[in-house]
Amino acid sequence: MKKLIILMIFGVFSFASEEIFADFEVYAKQSSKLAFEGSGKVDKIFVDVSSHVKKGDVLAILDQSSLEIALKKAKNDLELAKNASEFAKNTLNKFIQVRDVTSKQEFDEVKYKFDEAILRVQSAQIAILNAQDRLRKAVLKAPFDGVIASKNVELGESASPLQPAFVLNSEEAKILIAIDEKYANLVKVGDTFKFKLDSTSDEKEVKIALIYPEIKRETRKFYAQAYDSGLKPGMFGQGKVIIGKNK
């Protein structure tokens, strides 16, 4: 009986510190192909491959000369429209004061010109917003902190929304861990994953942050995810998941 109890206790502690060997591969936690929202000729480039950038940093700019001219014209058109609108308003007010002695046709013509002037002001305002939006789309900015992984444009080349100009990777890495399906009910979020990048490097530890809800039919494995810094996308190797209470 005592031997049975000892064996049971030994089994419990063995399970509590069980190590599950698993393969892993490193990806960027966040990776985006960045393209200009507008089309045009590349005028300025401020980054290169391996450049570290902050969210909001300008990466490149398209030629804006024609867009700036369009914006100036739209602003001038707005001033002209406002002047015409003010003149039409004053004229209408005068006709309102003498409406009793003015023909309906004359009054309607003056009212029509006033309404038309108001619409011209609104059209000019829309043209300004459109010109400003096109200028904004000629500037490509970093959507998050990271490092430029790929640069696909050069000065003077044509760029468009269909052509990614850069690939931006986050500094933080995603470790994708492939685990045999028989451990699917044992591995939990918060379990430790230990791994070494090569035989000479120190062992690193990370916590599993996410477990995928399916088992891949091709490999009969499920995947877990952890995060770390200082790793390069494309790295791979083997490690071990430490499961149980005494990790």
Side-chain angles (χ1 to χ4, degrees), residues 98-103 106:
V98 294
R99 187 169 184 176
D100 293 341
V101 293
T102 304
S103 69
E106 287 179 318

Side-chain angles (χ1 to χ4, degrees), residues 11 18 20 26 29 36 74 96 118 135 178 197 215-216 227 231:
E18 185 174 354
I20 300 173
V26 178
K29 183 179 180 181
F36 288 96
I96 290 176
I118 294 297
L135 278 168
L197 297 173
I215 295 172
K216 293 294 183 181
Y227 307 109
L231 304 177

Side-chain angles (χ1 to χ4, degrees), residues 78 81 115-129:
L78 177 60
D115 292 339
E116 185 180 41
I118 294 297
L119 290 176
R120 289 185 184 276
V121 170
Q122 293 175 354
S123 295
Q125 290 171 335
I126 292 172
I128 289 176
L129 292 176

Side-chain angles (χ1 to χ4, degrees), residues 172-198:
E172 192 174 13
K174 174 177 69 178
I175 304 169
L176 193 63
I177 307 162
I179 308 169
D180 192 280
E181 64 176 340
K182 65 184 177 181
Y183 301 110
N185 294 325
L186 299 180
V187 178
K188 307 295 182 184
V189 170
D191 283 345
T192 299
F193 180 64
K194 296 182 178 182
F195 65 97
K196 296 178 71 173
L197 297 173
D198 54 58

Side-chain angles (χ1 to χ4, degrees), residues 3 5 11 13 22 30 50 53-54 65-66 72 75 78 82 85 140 162 165 169 177 181 183 185 187 191 193 204 217:
K3 289 183 178 181
I5 294 174
F13 278 95
Q30 190 172 5
S50 296
V53 300
K54 296 291 185 181
S65 54
S66 61
K72 289 180 180 179
K75 289 181 176 180
L78 177 60
K82 284 182 176 180
S85 173
L140 184 58
L162 300 177
N169 288 345
I177 307 162
E181 64 176 340
Y183 301 110
N185 294 325
V187 178
D191 283 345
F193 180 64
K204 297 172 70 71
R217 179 178 300 177

Side-chain angles (χ1 to χ4, degrees), residues 9-28:
I9 294 173
F10 178 77
V12 169
F13 278 95
S14 296
F15 173 79
S17 59
E18 185 174 354
E19 296 178 351
I20 300 173
F21 289 91
D23 299 324
F24 73 90
E25 190 167 356
V26 178
Y27 299 85

Side-chain angles (χ1 to χ4, degrees), residues 224-235:
Q225 200 165 288
Y227 307 109
D228 199 7
S229 57
L231 304 177
K232 293 184 181 297
M235 288 178 168

